[in-house]
Amino acid sequence: MGITVKRLLDAFLGKTVWPPPIWLMRQAGRYLPEYRELRSQTTDFVSFCLDPTRASEATLQPIRRFGMDGAILFSDILILPWALGRELRFDEGHGPRLPPLRTVDELQNLQVQGFLEKVTPVLETIRLTRARLAAEHPDTALIGFVGAPFTVACYMVEGGGSKDFAETRKMAAQDPALFDGLIDRITQASITYLLAQIAAGAEAVMLFDSWAGLLSPTSFEKHVIQPTARIVAAIRQHHPDIPIVGFPRLAGTMAAAYAEKTGVSTMGVDTAADLNLVRQLVPSTVGLQGNLDPFALLSGGEVMEQEARAILDAMKGRPFVFNLGHGVMPPTPPDHVAHLVDFVRGQ
Ligand code: 1CP
């Protein structure tokens, strides 16, 4: 194996690399016919995530087609609550379903010791994928991930997806001992899980905080910034140079404190943020990633090029990774993704 310099890892660590590296959130998934074929071989989504051969194949599919700079582990943020002992199923057309966690007993029954054994197949997926990338796509970096504690807590307390996660926010406000205990356990488990992902071959890790924007600045500090900072510090103790990406979706002006206080190497920026303003709020030592509207990608053509161009203009001369502001939409034509990758590489 020769030494390869992976452009994505340099950019994640705060170097200005131009044209910027590119990968897309949800780059594996239903918009790809080869994914639908692979997915149809397994009935339930949890078993699919826990099948190293198939999960590794799903990770590599977009890389074969489009040659992105980053491959993201095919798994789900809810595999962690499942490993902690919560039942999990994905119903067709609906999101995830879990038994809602609402009591101290349920909190104390979480299997924080020994949960790692249950995610052995995910770690095997990482080993397998890393080896296949080294052989077939030596410039592409492998990204591991977890859901950030607040977002994982949202699904655990609510019992599935929700528009406003009202039960979760109610618990955070009315029963802080219970909610803080939950955040604490998810944080601990996330540290163990991410260290295991890195040991298995993940070259960067990302924390998805999809619902961070639901909180007030005070609660954001407590449930988003503090647990994230704790995870970052614990990982850096063992791996001082590993890129850590945080994505506090819809955080608005709170993103400035997130970038300053959590210690992440790069911050993901959602579709709603103006990168010209974010650039002013975030120290230039912290990389930025984002934030093309997934609907611009769905539309393709001129609309997509104009929006992509505006993002590139705003980020020129600054550490930056091109991505979407949220995941690829299932009806997106794969050709539009190919066009976007060409367009960004042509800068
Ligand atoms: O068969 C299918 O296509 C099921 C759809 C699907 C996929 C492809 C789900 C169900 N999860 C995934 C994979 C996935 N999820 C990945 C790896 C693949 C990749 O990105 O290419 C990652 C990183 C995730 C992360 C994830 N899962 C997040 C954070 C990012 C985000 O989208 O905000 C969240 C919130 C989830 C929960 C989840 N899993 C699946 C669905 C439909 C949802 C959302 C539920 C909801 O709130 O409505």
Side-chain angles (χ1 to χ4, degrees):
M1 225 188 294
I3 295 170
T4 52
V5 181
K6 300 191 180 183
R7 302 172 79 250
L8 178 65
L9 300 178
D10 276 351
F12 274 161
L13 288 172
K15 275 198 200 152
T16 303
V17 176
W18 214 263
I22 175 169
W23 69 280
L24 305 178
M25 293 187 278
R26 287 279 168 98
Q27 63 189 19
R30 273 172 294 183
Y31 77 104
L32 290 177
E34 60 269 35
Y35 173 84
R36 294 196 296 271
E37 154 59 26
L38 184 69
R39 178 70 189 83
S40 72
Q41 299 166 11
T42 313
T43 45
D44 77 293
F45 186 67
V46 176
S47 306
F48 183 61
C49 289
L50 296 172
D51 176 338
T53 311
R54 290 197 172 94
S56 172
E57 184 58 25
T59 307
L60 291 166
Q61 282 176 342
I63 312 308
R64 289 208 193 95
R65 239 190 214 255
F66 310 114
M68 281 91 167
D69 297 284
I72 185 153
L73 164 70
F74 193 91
S75 179
D76 195 86
I77 63 165
L78 298 170
I79 292 295
L80 180 63
W82 170 81
L84 291 172
R86 307 305 285 167
E87 279 168 40
L88 171 65
R89 62 195 164 84
F90 287 83
D91 294 338
E92 205 58 50
H94 296 271
R97 298 276 162 87
L98 308 98
L101 189 153
R102 303 281 166 85
T103 68
V104 175
D105 270 1
E106 288 163 341
L107 176 69
Q108 283 170 349
N109 280 333
L110 291 177
Q111 291 146 30
V112 179
Q113 309 296 326
F115 82 92
L116 206 52
E117 211 158 302
K118 290 182 74 177
V119 293
T120 306
V122 179
L123 304 176
E124 184 53 29
T125 303
I126 293 177
R127 268 181 225 108
L128 208 60
T129 309
R130 184 72 192 278
R132 290 171 76 186
L133 283 175
E136 297 164 31
H137 304 276
D139 300 332
T140 299
L142 181 58
I143 306 164
F145 71 90
V146 292
F150 177 69
T151 287
V152 173
C154 278
Y155 288 98
M156 291 177 81
V157 173
E158 217 76 20
S162 160
K163 276 195 182 63
D164 56 6
F165 291 93
E167 291 299 326
T168 311
R169 290 151 73 196
K170 202 163 83 186
M171 184 193 288
Q174 294 184 348
D175 196 346
L178 180 56
F179 193 71
D180 296 357
L182 178 58
I183 292 280
D184 178 66
R185 280 162 180 77
I186 299 168
T187 302
Q188 252 176 271
S190 299
I191 292 167
T192 306
Y193 190 22
L194 287 175
L195 287 173
Q197 290 187 26
I198 295 164
E203 298 170 279
V205 293
M206 178 153 166
L207 288 89
F208 286 91
D209 221 339
S210 305
W211 301 107
L214 291 173
L215 295 170
S216 71
T218 313
S219 303
F220 184 88
E221 171 77 34
K222 188 165 177 214
H223 301 309
V224 171
I225 292 182
Q226 286 178 15
T228 301
R230 192 176 144 203
I231 293 171
V232 171
I235 292 173
R236 288 267 159 75
Q237 244 186 318
H238 297 87
H239 304 279
D241 298 323
I242 189 129
I244 304 175
V245 184
F247 180 43
R249 195 169 73 93
L250 298 174
T253 54
M254 301 183 290
Y258 184 96
E260 261 169 51
K261 295 184 184 172
T262 56
V264 295
S265 336
T266 283
M267 183 173 72
V269 181
D270 62 81
T271 306
D274 180 342
L275 284 177
N276 289 295
L277 295 175
V278 175
R279 185 181 176 134
Q280 291 170 33
L281 292 173
V282 170
S284 61
T285 48
V286 178
L288 294 172
Q289 167 175 281
N291 74 342
L292 183 73
D293 187 347
F295 288 91
L297 179 63
L298 179 66
S299 307
E302 279 288 299
V303 171
M304 180 177 85
E305 287 195 9
Q306 273 169 24
E307 293 214 14
R309 158 89 51 226
I311 290 169
L312 291 162
D313 286 349
M315 289 291 101
K316 189 125 206 188
R318 193 195 188 296
F320 178 60
V321 172
F322 199 100
N323 205 315
L324 298 177
H326 203 190
V328 178
M329 311 287 299
T332 303
D335 283 356
H336 294 186
V337 175
H339 182 168
L340 177 67
V341 172
D342 279 354
F343 183 80
V344 171
R345 294 248 166 93
Q347 296 310 298

